[in-house]
Each structure stands twice: as C-alpha cells, then as structure tokens.
C-alpha cells in the first residue's frame, strides 16, 4: 500500500529496514535502483500465492519491463527479495536456501555477466521471523563487497577426486607439512562410508572413493591405507557434525586421532537460536553458492559417482573456510 500511494518501489517500513542494513554495511541505499517485478496491485478476491502470476500476457509484459530496466541500468549486482523475482532472475527455486549465495543472472536476460545475490525481503520473511533480520544484515555485507565487482563469477576453490593411490599420496605430501588442521568429511550409503574428502588449506579439496568398483581393488586398498594413516596422524582434525563421521569411520576400522573442532557445535555455542546446518553456515562465512541439494537422495545405482565425490569435496572445502 505504501508503494501504491507513493508510486515508488520499496518505500515506507520496508525502505527503513533496508536503509538501516545498508548503513550498517557502509554503502548508500540511495545508490540502489529499486523496482518491482509486478508493478501494479494484484486484486484477488481470495489471495492465492501459488497462482502463476508470471504466465500469460501480463506475465510476459512484467518480465519484459524488468529485463529492459536491467539492460538500461547495467547493474553489477541484483538483489531479489522474493521467491517470484528470485526464480525469474536465476531459474532456481528456494530463496530461503539460496539467500547469501552469489549466483549468475539467468542466461538471456542480459548480455553482460551480472551477479544475483538473493536475500530475504521484509514481506513475508522478516515479518515472520525477527531473527532473520540479523541474517539479512549479514547478506547486505556481501552486497556491499560486490557492488563494484564486474566480470564472470569465479569458481570458489578447487575440488577433485582421486582415481589412484599415487595421486592421494602426492596430495597428502604436498599439503600436510604446512597445514594447521585438516577437515575430513564422508558420504554414506546403506550406512557405510562410500567416499571421504580432505581439505588442508580452504583452497583445494580432494575426495577419495572407498568402494568404487571401476577402480582396481589394488588401488582401492592402497588408497584406503593412505586414508587410514591420515586419520590416525597427529594433525588436528575438524568436521561438521564430527560425531557422525567419527563413529562411521571407526565402525569400519578407520581410527580418528586428535579431533579438535566441529563447526556445528561451534555455531551452536555462538548463536544457539540460528540454524547450524552446513548450508546455512556456508552462506554466512563463505562466498560459495548453496550446493547442499547436490548430495541429497543420491543413489549410486542411478547417478554418476563423480557427482557425489565432488559434492563430498565441497563439504570439506566449505568447512575449512568456515572453521577459522
């Protein structure tokens, strides 16, 4: 109603909230172009928020107007505040999961690369849960950091998976001497570890398959030997929810020595009222985009194994960046 009466987007109460977030992060809210995907009141006798508002002639017109605005202004960063805008700008769904991520603008909207940094809008998200105001304030720090950044979005870190024992030995030898701690993470299927990843520096992460039958049994035995030595070594070990991985490893004879940290427990001690899952912590403490859906419901009989190996490596990479 405030936007309708003023004929400007994001005014009144919502404006005061966002202006405060911008001030807290030392950038000018007046430097932002504010707009709405749907630029008129939608009058529904019985509101249905699942109604496909962007379909049909009106939907096409809404999208064309916003696309023209984007191309005329040429912004470096676009910040969608609602699920509808987020879906149109990225082609993804689930702004609650992806908030805090730095994503590319969907192909076909603009000829130049533009960063999309979704965060939760006042209506309905911040009104539903006052705690999320603190999270949105943190998201605004990423907006401030990226406001002048141009060019394609670079991949965060390097993730790969080992196909033989020699590559595992070389990786461990190269990283071990200078590492202050190592993060490890496992993936399981039928309650058994299928692979394990290690990250020593927050820049590179390697996943080691444990039961991949496309790799010869000699190589798998040698790789498992290297993994066992690393887990039993004196280097400090860190993990997300380490009790789970620790128990699964020792159940199959992999002894874990010198555990020093757990990002989930640390987050619980620091901010007991906020989520403690790795997706949420990644959005706060790293620039990595949301990736946790990549590992859900994985079935080795249906999907390529490489998919879960790289996902496992990303877990270790994210935890290593979060823990300090």
């Amino acid at each position: 109603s405030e936007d309708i009466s003023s004929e400007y987007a994001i005014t009144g109460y919502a404006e005061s909230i966002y202006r405060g977030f911008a001030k807290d992060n030392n950038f000018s809210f007046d430097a932002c172009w504010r707009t709405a995907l749907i630029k008129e009141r939608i009058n529904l006798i019985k509101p249905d928020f699942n109604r496909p508002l962007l379909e049909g002639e009106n939907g096409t017109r809404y999208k064309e107007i916003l696309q023209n605005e984007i191309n005329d202004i040429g912004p470096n960063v676009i910040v969608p505040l609602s699920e509808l805008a987020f879906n149109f700008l990225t082609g993804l769904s689930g702004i609650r999961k992806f908030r805090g991520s730095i994503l590319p603008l969907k192909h076909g909207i603009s000829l130049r690369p533009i960063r999309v940094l979704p965060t939760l809008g006042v209506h309905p998200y911040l009104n539903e849960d006052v705690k999320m105001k603190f999270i949105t304030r943190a998201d605004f720090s990423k907006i401030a950091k990226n406001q002048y950044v141009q060019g394609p979005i670079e991949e965060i870190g390097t993730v790969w998976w080992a196909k033989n024992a020699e590559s595992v030995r070389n990786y461990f030898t190269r990283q071990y001497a200078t590492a202050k701690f190592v993060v490890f993470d496992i993936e399981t299927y039928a309650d058994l570890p299928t692979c394990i990843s290690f990250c020593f520096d927050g820049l590179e992460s390697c996943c080691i398959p444990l039961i991949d039958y496309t790799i010869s049994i000699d190589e798998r035995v040698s790789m498992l030997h290297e993994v066992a030595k690393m887990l039993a070594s004196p280097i400090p070990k860190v993990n997300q929810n380490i009790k789970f991985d620790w128990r699964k490893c020792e159940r199959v004879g992999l002894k874990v020595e010198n555990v020093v940290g757990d990002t989930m427990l640390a987050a619980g001690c620091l901010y007991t009222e906020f989520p403690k899952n790795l997706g949420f912590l990644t959005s706060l403490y790293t620039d990595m985009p949301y990736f946790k859906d990549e590992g859900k419901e994985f079935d080795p009989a249906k999907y390529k194994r490489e998919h879960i190996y790289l996902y496992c490596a990303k877990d270790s990479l994210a935890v290593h960046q979060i823990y300090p």
Side-chain angles (χ1 to χ4, degrees):
S1 60
E2 293 164 320
D3 290 359
I4 294 294
S5 60
S6 68
E7 297 187 349
Y8 285 94
I10 310 179
T11 57
Y13 172 70
E15 177 184 4
S16 67
I17 295 294
Y18 299 132
R19 191 174 290 278
F21 293 158
K23 182 180 179 181
D24 291 341
N25 288 284
N26 298 314
F27 79 97
S28 171
F29 189 66
D30 291 322
C32 301
W33 176 270
R34 290 175 270 165
T35 188
L37 176 54
I38 298 175
K39 295 176 170 62
E40 57 190 337
R41 184 189 290 277
I42 303 296
N43 291 312
L44 301 172
I45 297 174
K46 184 179 180 182
D48 179 5
F49 295 105
N50 295 315
R51 180 171 174 252
L53 295 172
L54 295 184
E55 292 184 3
E57 184 178 338
N58 281 345
T60 300
R61 181 166 56 90
Y62 297 146
K63 290 185 282 190
E64 285 179 352
I65 293 171
L66 181 58
Q67 184 170 347
N68 289 336
E69 282 183 283
I70 291 170
N71 286 305
D72 287 344
I73 297 162
N76 295 328
V77 178
I78 303 177
V79 185
L81 302 167
S82 69
E83 180 67 23
L84 203 63
F86 171 68
N87 177 257
F88 169 65
L89 293 168
T90 65
L92 302 168
S93 59
I95 191 172
R96 289 180 184 271
K97 295 184 297 185
F98 283 94
R99 54 129 294 277
S101 297
I102 300 172
L103 305 167
L105 185 66
K106 186 172 66 179
H107 180 72
I109 295 180
S110 173
L111 296 177
R112 59 187 291 268
I114 297 175
R115 285 159 171 74
V116 178
L117 211 163
T119 191
L120 301 181
V122 170
H123 310 294
Y125 307 107
L126 304 191
N127 286 342
E128 289 177 346
D129 187 352
V130 68
K131 297 194 302 293
M132 297 312 295
K133 288 185 178 180
F134 298 95
I135 304 307
T136 303
R137 181 182 285 111
D139 290 345
F140 266 63
S141 69
K142 289 190 177 182
I143 299 168
K145 187 169 70 172
N146 285 275
Q147 62 181 319
Y148 301 118
V149 178
Q150 298 180 351
I153 299 174
E154 296 181 0
E155 194 75 25
I156 305 295
T158 301
V159 294
W160 59 284
W161 63 282
K163 299 180 177 67
N164 54 63
E166 183 181 8
S167 61
V168 176
R169 280 193 294 271
N170 291 340
Y171 174 64
F172 286 170
T173 301
R174 175 162 48 89
Q175 296 280 4
Y176 186 87
T178 57
K180 295 181 179 179
F181 65 94
V182 63
V183 169
F184 74 94
D185 180 81
I186 67 168
E187 298 301 324
T188 62
Y189 183 73
D191 213 31
L192 292 172
T194 59
C195 59
I196 184 169
S197 62
F198 293 90
C199 183
F200 295 84
D201 59 2
L203 300 173
E204 179 185 8
S205 181
C206 171
C207 180
I208 302 161
L210 299 178
I211 57 171
D212 191 326
Y213 299 109
T214 64
I215 301 173
S216 72
I217 190 168
D218 291 344
E219 289 292 348
R220 278 185 278 134
V221 168
S222 297
M223 287 195 291
L224 187 60
H225 179 61
E226 296 297 329
V227 167
K229 288 195 298 183
M230 181 56 65
L231 290 176
S233 69
I235 187 171
K237 313 294 190 308
V238 176
N239 192 295
Q240 163 84 3
N241 190 16
I242 199 165
K243 291 181 290 182
F244 177 87
D245 291 26
W246 193 350
R247 185 168 60 248
K248 299 298 182 188
C249 284
E250 298 212 335
R251 180 183 173 193
V252 296
L254 297 171
K255 191 172 184 180
V256 183
E257 295 284 1
N258 200 19
V259 171
V260 300
D262 183 330
T263 46
M264 186 181 76
L265 294 179
C269 292
L270 286 169
Y271 306 111
T272 56
E273 68 272 36
F274 289 120
K276 301 155 190 69
N277 62 76
L278 185 56
F280 180 77
L281 299 181
T282 299
S283 74
L284 284 185
Y285 297 107
T286 82
D287 287 334
M288 295 175 66
Y290 179 78
F291 64 90
K292 294 302 292 179
D293 284 351
E294 296 175 17
K296 289 182 178 178
E297 299 177 357
F298 177 78
D299 184 342
K302 298 179 181 178
Y303 305 104
K304 290 183 178 180
R305 295 172 185 268
E306 180 180 357
H307 186 81
I308 198 69
Y309 297 157
L310 297 180
Y311 166 79
C312 182
K314 285 182 183 179
D315 272 354
S316 288
L317 182 73
V319 172
H320 203 291
Q321 293 189 14
I322 293 165
Y323 183 68

